[in-house]
C-alpha cells in the first residue's frame, strides 16, 4: 500500500522507522495518537500525526470495558485493518493485547497476524525485564517492536489501579535498567507511560531509540494521547496528562491539528500535564 503511494509521488513520503530515528536525531518531536477506524485514521493522518497506534485502549473507548484486559487479538487485527485503510503517511503500530505474548511462539504467531492480516508496521507490547526474551525473539524475526514501560494498563489488577510509576528510587532504577535491556533485546521504540518528568528524561538519556511519552514529561522524543481524550468525548475524571483540544477547536480535525502542532512546538505537555 505505502510503496504504491510512494510511487505515486506523494509530497510527503510515508513515515518509517528511519524517519522516526531521523526526527529523534534532529530533535523534532514525534506526534503520535491512537485511532480505531478508517475515518478517524484519515483525519489524524491529515492532521499531521507521524505515528498512529491501534491501542488496546479500544477495549475502554470503543467496547466500553473498564480495563484493556478483555481485548483479543482478533479485536486488534480488525481495528488495525480498518485503520490501515485510512492512512497515507503515518506509521502504523498495533497493540499486542493481554496474554497474547506469554511465550515466544505465541508472541511470534500473533505479531505475524498483526502485520499480515492487520497491516501493522510494528507491534507494541507491555513489559520490562520479563519481556526481554520475547522482544529478542520477535526482533530476531525482523518484527519491529515498541516496548511499553512505566504504567502498564494490562497489569492494572496486579498493581491495583492506574497510578504514577517509578516515584521511588529503586523502581526508577529498575525502569531505567528495563529500558536499556529492552533496547539491547531489539526494541525499536520505548513507550513510557505515567512517570515523573525526571524519569522520562533519564530514560531518554539511557537509550538510543525514540522514547514516546504519555504522561512522561516534556524531555522525551515524542508524545501520544488517546484520540477520544484529545477530541473531548471521554467522560468522567481524566488523567492529569490529558488535554482536551476541542475546548479551543472548531472541529475534531482542528483539535487533532492543534494537538500535533502543540507537540511539535513543545507547548504540550505543559507543567499541569506532568508529574514531578
Ligand atoms: O492502548 C493504548 O492506547 C496505549 C496508549 C495509551 C499509549 O497504550
Amino acid at each position: 500500500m505505502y510503496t504504491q503511494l510512494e510511487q505515486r509521488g506523494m509530497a510527503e513520503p510515508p513515515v518509517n522507522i528511519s524517519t522516526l530515528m531521523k526526527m529523534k536525531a534532529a530533535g523534532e518531536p514525534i506526534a503520535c495518537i491512537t485511532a480505531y477506524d478508517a475515518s478517524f485514521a484519515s483525519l489524524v493522518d491529515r492532521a499531521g500525526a507521524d505515528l498512529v497506534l491501534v491501542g488496546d485502549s479500544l477495549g475502554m473507548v470503543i467496547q466500553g470495558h473498564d480495563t484493556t484486559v478483555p481485548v483479543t487479538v482478533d479485536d486488534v487485527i480488525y481495528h488495525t485493518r480498518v485503520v490501515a485503510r485510512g492512512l497515507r503517511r503515518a506509521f502504523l503500530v498495533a497493540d499486542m493485547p493481554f496474554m497474547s505474548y506469554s511465550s515466544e511462539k505465541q508472541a511470534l504467531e500473533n505479531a505475524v497476524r498483526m502485520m499480515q492480516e492487520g497491516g501493522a508496521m510494528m507491534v507494541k507490547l507491555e513489559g520490562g525485564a520479563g519481556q526481554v526474551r520475547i522482544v529478542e525473539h520477535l526482533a530476531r524475526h525482523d518484527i519491529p517492536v515498541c516496548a511499553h514501560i512505566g504504567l502498564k494498563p494490562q497489569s492494572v489488577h496486579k498493581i491495583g489501579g492506574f497510578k504514577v510509576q517509578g516515584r521511588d528510587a529503586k523502581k526508577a532504577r529498575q525502569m531505567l535498567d528495563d529500558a536499556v535491556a529492552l533496547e539491547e533485546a531489539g526494541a525499536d521504540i520505548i513507550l513510557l507511560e505515567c512517570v515523573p518528568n525526571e524519569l522520562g528524561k533519564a530514560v531518554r538519556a539511557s537509550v538510543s531509540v525514540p522514547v514516546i511519552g504519555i504522561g512522561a514529561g516534556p524531555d522525551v522524543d515524542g508524545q501520544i494521547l488517546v484520540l477520544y481524550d484529545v477530541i473531548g468525548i471521554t467522560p468522567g475524571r481524566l488523567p492529569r496528562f490529558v488535554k482536551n483540544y476541542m475546548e479551543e477547536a472548531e472541529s475534531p480535525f482542528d483539535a487533532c491539528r492543534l494537538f500535533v502542532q502543540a507537540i511539535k512546538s513543545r507547548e504540550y505537555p505543559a507543567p499541569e500535564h506532568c508529574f514531578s
Side-chain angles (χ1 to χ4, degrees):
M1 172 186 73
Y2 279 18
T3 314
Q4 288 162 359
L5 290 172
E6 222 166 353
Q7 284 164 356
R8 273 184 244 150
M10 282 176 66
E12 272 199 286
V15 175
N16 57 34
I17 293 193
S18 313
T19 322
L20 300 175
M21 286 304 289
K22 278 185 204 148
M23 290 171 75
K24 176 185 167 81
E28 180 190 344
I30 302 167
C32 315
I33 194 162
T34 66
Y36 315 96
D37 67 43
S39 300
F40 272 119
S42 166
L43 184 147
V44 299
D45 191 90
R46 284 180 283 118
D50 302 306
L51 181 154
V52 169
L53 168 70
V54 179
D56 61 357
S57 50
L58 73 86
M60 298 166 84
V61 300
I62 302 282
Q63 299 173 334
H65 295 295
D66 289 335
T67 73
T68 59
V69 172
V71 176
T72 66
V73 171
D74 286 340
D75 292 337
V76 176
I77 289 174
Y78 169 78
H79 286 280
T80 306
R81 197 160 51 220
V82 297
V83 164
R85 291 187 198 126
L87 297 184
R88 287 174 60 84
R89 176 182 166 271
F91 188 71
L92 178 57
V93 182
D95 234 344
M96 304 277 286
F98 180 65
M99 283 299 132
S100 67
Y101 47 96
S102 62
S103 69
E104 292 174 18
K105 183 172 179 291
Q106 185 198 31
L108 185 59
E109 278 168 8
N110 285 327
V112 168
R113 287 193 65 203
M114 302 271 173
M115 296 182 80
Q116 289 193 322
E117 297 175 39
M121 293 153 181
M122 176 178 280
V123 297
K124 174 166 90 58
L125 52 81
E126 295 181 12
Q131 257 58 50
V132 162
R133 236 177 3 93
I134 302 286
V135 172
E136 233 162 33
H137 190 64
L138 294 179
R140 207 176 317 126
H141 289 84
D142 287 341
I143 308 264
V145 180
C146 169
H148 182 153
I149 59 173
L151 173 61
K152 294 176 281 180
Q154 290 171 11
S155 308
V156 60
H157 297 308
K158 183 80 174 166
I159 55 185
F162 299 105
K163 302 175 188 166
V164 181
Q165 302 294 304
R167 277 213 195 271
D168 70 76
K170 195 168 161 218
K171 293 211 172 107
R173 184 70 255 163
Q174 179 65 55
M175 218 182 285
L176 283 174
D177 292 346
D178 286 357
V180 171
L182 288 161
E183 177 180 21
E184 279 171 6
D188 304 278
I189 293 182
I190 302 288
L191 190 144
L192 187 57
E193 179 162 356
C194 219
V195 299
N197 288 2
E198 297 75 10
L199 187 50
K201 187 174 180 176
V203 169
R204 185 187 182 272
S206 308
V207 297
S208 59
V209 295
V211 177
I212 308 297
I214 174 164
D219 300 311
V220 288
D221 301 302
Q223 302 289 338
I224 187 164
L225 281 180
V226 168
L227 169 66
Y228 291 3
D229 294 344
V230 172
I231 60 173
I233 60 171
T234 310
R237 193 166 154 263
L238 296 173
R240 181 183 172 91
F241 51 77
V242 166
K243 180 165 159 68
N244 170 5
Y245 281 87
M246 270 310 280
E247 281 170 2
E248 51 201 81
E250 289 179 356
S251 65
F253 172 73
D254 203 25
C256 292
R257 202 178 47 79
L258 290 176
F259 174 53
V260 169
Q261 275 173 7
I263 294 173
K264 297 283 178 189
S265 64
R266 300 187 188 277
E267 280 158 52
Y268 177 84
E272 66 266 27
H273 307 121
C274 297
F275 306 101
S276 58

